[in-house]
Every structure is written in C-alpha cells, then in structure tokens.
Amino acid sequence: SIDAVIEMQRLRRDSQLQVPVQSLEPLQVSGFLMIGHLNIDGFQSHLEDLVKDEQFHKADIMCITETHLKPYDEVKHEDDTLLFRKDRLVSTKGGVLILVSKTTVGDAVRIKLPEMGTFEHCSCCATLTNQQQVNVTVIYRPPGSNKKTFLNELNTLLLMLNNKASVVVGDFNDDLCSGSFGVKEKMSKLGYSQVVMQPTTDYGSCLDHVYLKDMCHKGTLVKDIYYSDHDATFTNVIIN
C-alpha cells in the first residue's frame, strides 16, 4: 500500500540520520591546542561532575565562567595544572577562572589587565612545548549590563593584549541565534573569528562564544552538560 511505502521511506531516511558527535579528539601535530569553556553555575558544587567528564581531560586549557568562588575558597587541582582565577568580590555568583595543563602546554603566566565595569575577565599567556605562545582570555558578561559600554570596554581590553595568537571565550549573554551580532562585529573588527555555529543553552540561544585570532580552527564540539543549563564548548586549534 501507499502507506507502507511512505513508512519504509521514513525508516530509510531516519536510519541515515547521524548521531550528534559528543567527543572531540586531540590532534598530534605541532602547535595544537584544545580549548574548552563552560558556564558551570558553581565551580565547587560541580567540580566532581566536571572531573568525571572524559572530554574535560582532553582539553589543554579549560575556561570556566560563573565559578561563584570567593577569595577565601580553596580550589583543589592537580599538581600538573596551573590555575588563574578572578573572583567576584561584591556580590554572589559571577567569577571566572582558567585551568592550564602543564603536561601538554608547558607553561603559562597571568596577564595583568585592569578591571572592567560591565564584565569579568581573566587572561593568561600560554607557552606551548614548541615555544609558540597564545593569549587566552575568558569573559563573563552578566545579563543586563549596558551593551554599548560593554563593547567599548571589550575593545579597550583586547587592545591591551600584545600581537600574539589569541583566543577569547566566555558567556557574553549576547544571543547569536537571535541575530544579535554586536559582539561578533566588534570582535571581527579586531581580527577575531567566531566559530560556534549552534545553540549553547537549554533554551536554544547561543550565548557562549569562541573567538580566534591568528590561529587555524580545526573543529568545535558543543557538548550537552547535565548539571548546567549551558553546554560546554571544546575547540581544536593550531597556532599559525
């Protein structure tokens, strides 16, 4: 019957659908980095979940937003990991940090930059084992902060970084899926390319951006995270 034919066509079509990829593998080439980002909604409360994630351990550099840490909070981490953090001092939530694997990266130092009024940030300069260097910056822009002021401050911050290869990741609270391209356009003028091409939250919005400058993009994974309403991003790059 015609109904049977239609059903067979549907089954054939469905069988060809690909299961979304939920892992990203490192590349065994010189100048390679895997850089991750997650709005974790509380670092201490979800640290156990994070370290159980195999993809997390594949990342050479992991950036975290909304850590909810205070200066007196001690963060346990492996001896072969460098940690850079900027805690929110005046209210709850917020906070950013960067974890760097000394095993694969080699070394990293904090880049001291002034505080900004509309967003939180932390930056480091990582030196790879082949002596190439890359600047890594993580940004958290709280909802409701003035966008025009934010873009001006973002421009000021990034102009302070020297002319090395750079990656800027974070929760920008600027939805690329709704056609809001102010941040993307500003970053483009500064020489950065945005590489996340799908929603990064449970609500269908793309708030978590990854911007690359002077490096080759080799793939990005957007991974569902059960303990956060944000997905994690993992991006493979090769430093030019």
Side-chain angles (χ1 to χ4, degrees), residues 183-198:
V183 175
K184 184 179 178 180
E185 290 174 354
K186 171 63 70 176
M187 295 296 286
S188 178
K189 291 178 180 178
L190 293 169
Y192 290 82
S193 299
Q194 204 290 126
V195 298
V196 179
M197 301 300 177
Q198 65 189 81

Side-chain angles (χ1 to χ4, degrees), residues 23-75:
S23 67
L24 189 68
E25 297 302 320
L27 303 178
Q28 304 303 319
V29 295
S30 178
F32 167 79
L33 275 178
M34 184 187 295
I35 302 166
H37 165 252
L38 173 63
N39 179 324
I40 202 168
D41 194 27
F43 186 76
Q44 299 286 53
S45 57
H46 295 306
L47 180 58
E48 183 176 350
D49 300 290
L50 185 65
V51 298
K52 289 179 179 178
D53 191 326
E54 292 183 5
Q55 188 66 55
F56 163 72
H57 293 284
K58 296 175 184 178
D60 303 298
I61 299 174
M62 191 72 198
C63 300
I64 305 292
T65 49
E66 285 220 76
T67 61
H68 301 179
L69 294 172
K70 296 300 180 185
Y72 52 78
D73 289 326
E74 181 180 355
V75 176

Side-chain angles (χ1 to χ4, degrees), residues 100-209:
V100 180
S101 170
K102 292 193 292 184
T103 303
T104 54
V105 172
D107 194 16
V109 295
R110 180 188 291 271
I111 301 173
K112 295 181 179 180
L113 297 168
E115 294 188 16
M116 298 293 165
T118 57
F119 64 96
E120 298 162 88
H121 63 89
C122 183
S123 297
C124 71
C125 177
T127 302
L128 281 59
T129 54
N130 67 357
Q131 299 307 305
Q132 287 180 297
Q133 292 185 317
V134 56
N135 292 330
V136 179
T137 299
V138 58
I139 284 174
Y140 175 64
R141 177 195 171 210
S145 64
N146 183 275
K147 189 170 183 177
K148 182 177 180 181
T149 304
F150 167 68
L151 292 176
N152 289 335
E153 291 186 340
L154 180 64
N155 185 79
T156 299
L157 180 82
L158 296 182
L159 288 177
M160 293 179 185
L161 296 173
N162 54 28
N163 199 28
K164 292 186 176 71
S166 295
V167 56
V168 179
V169 303
D171 178 357
F172 288 79
N173 272 300
D174 192 54
D175 183 15
L176 295 176
C177 289
S178 68
S180 181
F181 298 125
V183 175
K184 184 179 178 180
E185 290 174 354
K186 171 63 70 176
M187 295 296 286
S188 178
K189 291 178 180 178
L190 293 169
Y192 290 82
S193 299
Q194 204 290 126
V195 298
V196 179
M197 301 300 177
Q198 65 189 81
T200 61
T201 73
D202 294 346
Y203 316 107
S205 54
C206 183
L207 307 181
D208 306 274
H209 308 179

Side-chain angles (χ1 to χ4, degrees), residues 3-20:
D3 290 339
V5 172
I6 293 174
E7 179 63 12
M8 289 178 64
Q9 291 175 340
R10 184 191 68 80
L11 291 172
R12 186 179 298 112
R13 183 177 63 252
D14 290 350
S15 68
Q16 295 173 346
L17 295 177
Q18 296 182 348
V19 177

